[in-house]
Amino acid sequence: MAEYLIVRCHGLFTRFLPSQVLDALPNLGSLKDLADLLTATDYGGEVRSLTELNVHALERVFEEKLYERYRYMVKVAEGGYRDFLSQYRRRLEVQAISRIMRGKLSQTSVEELLKTIPSKQFLELDLKPIAEASSFEKAVEALKATPYREAALSLPWCLKHHSPLPMEYWLKKTYYSALLKALKSLPAGDREKAQELINLEIDVANCFTASAPLLYGYTLELVQRLLIPYSGKLTPAQLREAVEAKSPSTLLKIFSDYRDIARPLIEEGDEALAETAALKMVKAKAERLMVEAPIDFPYVLGYLKLCELECRNLVFTAHSINQGVEFKQYLVT
Amino acid sequence: MSISLGAAVKPTKGFLLQLKKRVSFIEEGYRLLELKRDELAKELRTSLEELAVGRKGFEEKVEEALKRLGRAYATLGTGEMASQTWVAEKNLRIEVLPKSVMGILVPYVRILNKPTVSDRYSPIARSAAQAFHNLIDGLVQLAELESRVERIADDLEKTNRKVNALEKIVIPQYRRIIKQIEDRLDEDMLEEFIRTKFVRTIISTRRG
């Protein structure tokens, strides 16, 4: 049992932004208004300590709060739960390695690369050797010394398509494979519920990937290799069919279980709105898990999901305010 | 009474004929330039209308692309978007060729190589990338049209100045000189006539 962890999550739940703050977000006129609104929240200390108020500084505050929340969860967890959470947190690492690889493929300077990745304290691995590699091939070589060694298999594909996507796919595949493996160390009841959430994430990622040939002319051969194999509701056959779909209506039919995501993605071409719909589904599922299992481990996973969504909403709000664009419909509420 | 003419101007019939020939040549040039000016004005008007329509459509597309980019930034965050932009192909190649419109060389732009969007970007970023990719053709067309308008307007201004100079200064000046020479020649003829008459009167008085 992970009593302490679950109890901590119940306690930490109260630190989420209160509903009146969330309701006020779409009506804010400036970053200063946002900062003022956040001073009375869990973000208050960090926001007040900012010497310069700009969108990047605020974004850093929001992201570091999320990383800190991850870190804390791993710290207070024990046994199999700790292993699982530690593996779950590796999504930051996957994201950071993907960024590094994009940079390596395009010969971006190490300084630029390091600016885009979280600081070492929030990661399991030291990514500096990969970031400092002199070429993409050398970075892939450095990757072989990490748990992501399988991703090195994507090198010929990356070079063939001059694209980082095969590498990103392998990183994600390795991540989910390890996450699902870590999931097995959890008690059966916890495992099933947690897996629902993970499968939903994978399905959403596959929906976006599989629609790329029809919507953006991506190469079939490449996209077929970018589908994460551990899908939930979407079967491998359905995903293959989606990749080869010749019309939007076929895609909509295949993704009927995810029509809220598929419609803005396929009919309106608004990927951000589709992503919002996907995150709303994730949020609904997380909240359902938290209600159904308030004293079980899925509550912790639900809590982490809500942390991610809070961060995403705040980053979206800060950027949208900065650009002066409407964003109410893009908030995951 | 004598009329003062310029040093180069000779009040002779030969020179008058030469001047008249020159004026008719200038007037012919003036008429041609006037025709060119009218045609250029028409061309400029058409191009400006085309530009206004093109720019309006293009601005709408740019606005949409910027919105997409903004949403991508907001969804993915600065770090992720920055890294997505690194993989953008930087191989847009264009060729600028000269094309003659009524003797004016305007640029004609041909796209030799256009960067591709497919197979490079993760979801969200690809939608913004596609929107900007779709702007390339329009941007090149618009640049070509703007440059054409600038060149035509520039040439129209020059032609207009030439037409005005011919109409208001050169031709009137030549006409004035012709008039002056004609007056001078008339005066000379009158003087000659009076002198002849006077001489004839003196001769007839002497005869008796």
Side-chain angles (χ1 to χ4, degrees):
Chain A
M1 280 293 281
E3 289 90 353
Y4 181 65
L5 187 63
I6 296 159
V7 168
R8 280 308 298 138
C9 282
H10 277 278
L12 292 169
F13 188 85
T14 59
R15 295 197 191 175
F16 280 134
L17 294 179
S19 58
Q20 66 268 26
V21 170
L22 289 173
D23 292 343
L25 288 180
N27 307 315
L28 297 173
S30 67
L31 290 177
K32 186 166 182 315
D33 292 344
L34 177 62
D36 289 344
L37 186 72
L38 294 175
T39 46
T41 68
D42 199 26
Y43 297 87
E46 291 85 348
V47 169
R48 270 193 301 271
S49 67
L50 288 177
T51 49
E52 198 185 340
L53 186 65
N54 59 46
V55 68
H56 304 298
L58 281 174
E59 192 182 354
R60 201 164 45 248
V61 167
F62 305 146
E63 284 177 349
E64 287 190 355
K65 176 66 77 183
L66 173 67
Y67 304 158
E68 185 51 42
R69 285 170 169 176
Y70 278 146
R71 202 182 63 81
Y72 183 73
M73 282 291 104
V74 174
K75 196 177 127 192
V76 297
E78 284 173 349
Y81 296 110
R82 190 193 178 110
D83 294 343
F84 176 79
L85 288 177
S86 173
Q87 180 56 41
Y88 183 85
R89 186 172 70 150
R90 279 184 179 255
R91 56 184 53 211
L92 296 180
E93 221 163 67
V94 167
Q95 194 183 48
I97 298 172
S98 297
R99 289 176 189 175
I100 292 173
M101 288 305 178
R102 281 180 211 135
K104 286 290 144 200
L105 199 61
S106 54
Q107 290 157 359
T108 306
S109 70
V110 177
E111 293 74 36
E112 284 294 306
L113 285 182
L114 293 175
K115 274 187 213 162
T116 65
I117 62 172
S119 59
K120 202 178 157 187
Q121 56 172 324
F122 300 117
L123 301 169
E124 303 276 325
L125 283 175
D126 179 12
L127 300 180
K128 228 177 162 194
I130 306 174
E132 285 173 348
S134 56
S135 67
F136 181 68
E137 287 83 349
K138 294 260 169 64
V140 173
E141 227 14 77
L143 201 62
K144 284 181 181 167
T146 70
Y148 305 100
R149 64 187 69 82
E150 258 192 69
L153 294 172
S154 66
L155 181 63
W157 280 87
C158 291
L159 297 177
K160 183 183 172 192
H161 294 274
H162 197 72
S163 164
L165 292 182
M167 172 64 68
E168 289 172 31
Y169 156 77
W170 272 102
L171 291 168
K172 276 187 198 161
K173 187 180 169 242
T174 312
Y175 167 77
Y176 282 114
S177 161
L179 188 65
L180 293 171
K181 200 172 156 194
L183 198 65
K184 284 181 185 154
S185 64
L186 302 183
D190 290 350
R191 191 163 59 218
E192 279 160 25
K193 285 190 174 110
Q195 187 151 7
E196 278 178 39
L197 209 50
I198 295 164
N199 284 346
L200 175 61
E201 257 188 19
I202 297 174
D203 272 357
V204 168
N206 280 339
C207 270
F208 277 96
T209 306
S211 58
L214 182 71
L215 302 180
Y216 298 97
Y218 279 36
T219 314
L220 282 181
E221 188 196 17
L222 175 70
V223 172
Q224 271 161 351
R225 289 173 176 264
L226 300 181
L227 298 167
I228 303 165
Y230 318 108
S231 50
K233 285 185 186 170
L234 294 169
T235 63
Q238 275 180 311
L239 287 171
R240 266 198 308 278
E241 205 186 326
V243 171
E244 287 161 12
K246 295 278 184 288
S247 70
S249 58
T250 315
L251 270 185
L252 283 170
K253 210 172 132 192
I254 297 166
F255 297 145
S256 57
D257 282 334
Y258 297 103
R259 70 175 68 84
D260 288 349
I261 303 169
R263 205 165 290 143
L265 177 69
I266 298 159
E267 287 180 348
E268 296 165 41
D270 191 342
E271 293 206 318
L273 200 58
E275 163 99 355
T276 308
L279 294 176
K280 280 181 180 172
M281 282 182 85
V282 170
K283 183 173 185 259
K285 180 143 276 193
E287 284 173 342
R288 192 167 58 79
L289 284 185
M290 292 169 89
V291 171
E292 283 175 1
I295 50 164
D296 292 321
F297 181 72
Y299 188 90
V300 178
L301 200 54
Y303 165 77
L304 282 178
K305 278 285 153 215
L306 294 187
C307 291
E308 287 166 19
L309 295 175
E310 183 174 275
C311 175
R312 187 265 183 196
N313 274 343
L314 287 172
V315 170
F316 205 104
T317 302
H319 274 285
S320 302
I321 291 174
N322 193 44
Q323 292 157 22
V325 292
E326 277 287 309
F327 61 97
K328 195 176 176 182
Q329 57 176 333
Y330 295 96
L331 289 182
V332 185
T333 48
Chain B
M1 198 180 86
S2 66
I3 300 167
S4 128
L5 298 169
V9 177
K10 296 173 212 148
T12 62
K13 276 199 166 169
F15 190 72
L16 182 67
L17 281 173
Q18 217 179 337
L19 266 188
K20 280 186 174 174
K21 232 187 252 177
R22 201 182 295 172
V23 166
S24 88
F25 181 73
I26 292 170
E27 280 176 340
E28 188 61 28
Y30 164 72
R31 270 190 295 279
L32 284 173
L33 280 175
E34 233 183 359
L35 279 177
K36 186 184 176 188
R37 182 186 64 183
D38 294 348
E39 278 305 308
L40 282 178
K42 210 195 283 175
E43 182 72 33
L44 184 65
R45 215 175 304 126
T46 318
S47 296
L48 279 173
E49 278 166 14
E50 218 177 302
L51 184 65
V53 173
R55 197 180 275 170
K56 194 166 176 275
F58 186 72
E59 277 169 5
E60 281 165 12
K61 282 185 189 166
V62 169
E63 208 175 310
E64 179 54 32
L66 285 172
K67 269 188 197 165
R68 276 178 192 271
L69 181 68
R71 287 200 292 261
Y73 256 100
T75 310
L76 300 174
T78 312
E80 182 65 13
M81 260 320 265
S83 73
Q84 293 278 351
T85 60
W86 295 335
V87 293
E89 274 188 347
K90 295 153 187 99
N91 58 356
L92 173 68
R93 283 200 306 127
I94 54 166
E95 187 180 34
V96 184
L97 301 164
K99 192 175 149 190
S100 176
V101 174
M102 278 181 293
I104 309 161
L105 290 179
V106 292
Y108 162 67
V109 185
R110 206 165 57 147
I111 298 176
L112 298 176
N113 192 47
K114 212 167 132 182
T116 55
V117 174
S118 64
D119 298 347
R120 310 183 79 80
Y121 303 97
S122 309
I124 315 288
R126 66 189 180 188
S127 142
Q130 184 69 58
F132 275 92
H133 181 263
N134 293 345
L135 293 180
I136 295 175
D137 288 322
L139 188 67
V140 167
Q141 268 177 9
L142 212 60
E144 192 182 294
L145 201 57
E146 274 192 8
S147 175
R148 180 191 167 102
V149 164
E150 261 176 41
R151 299 271 171 102
I152 293 176
D154 193 39
D155 206 78
L156 176 65
E157 198 189 324
K158 278 184 200 158
T159 310
N160 206 22
R161 217 178 292 148
K162 280 181 200 164
V163 169
N164 283 341
L166 287 177
E167 188 187 338
K168 302 267 181 339
I169 301 164
V170 180
I171 295 175
Q173 209 168 21
Y174 268 94
R175 286 197 193 287
R176 210 165 46 242
I177 294 169
I178 288 170
K179 174 88 175 42
Q180 284 173 351
I181 293 173
E182 279 175 346
D183 287 352
R184 178 74 176 261
L185 288 174
D186 281 352
E187 245 175 70
D188 287 353
M189 254 170 65
L190 190 63
E191 263 181 36
E192 189 60 32
F193 175 72
I194 298 295
R195 195 181 301 117
T196 313
K197 206 174 168 189
F198 192 66
V199 169
R200 196 183 290 164
T201 310
I202 291 171
I203 293 170
S204 62
T205 311
R206 277 186 190 163
R207 278 187 188 157

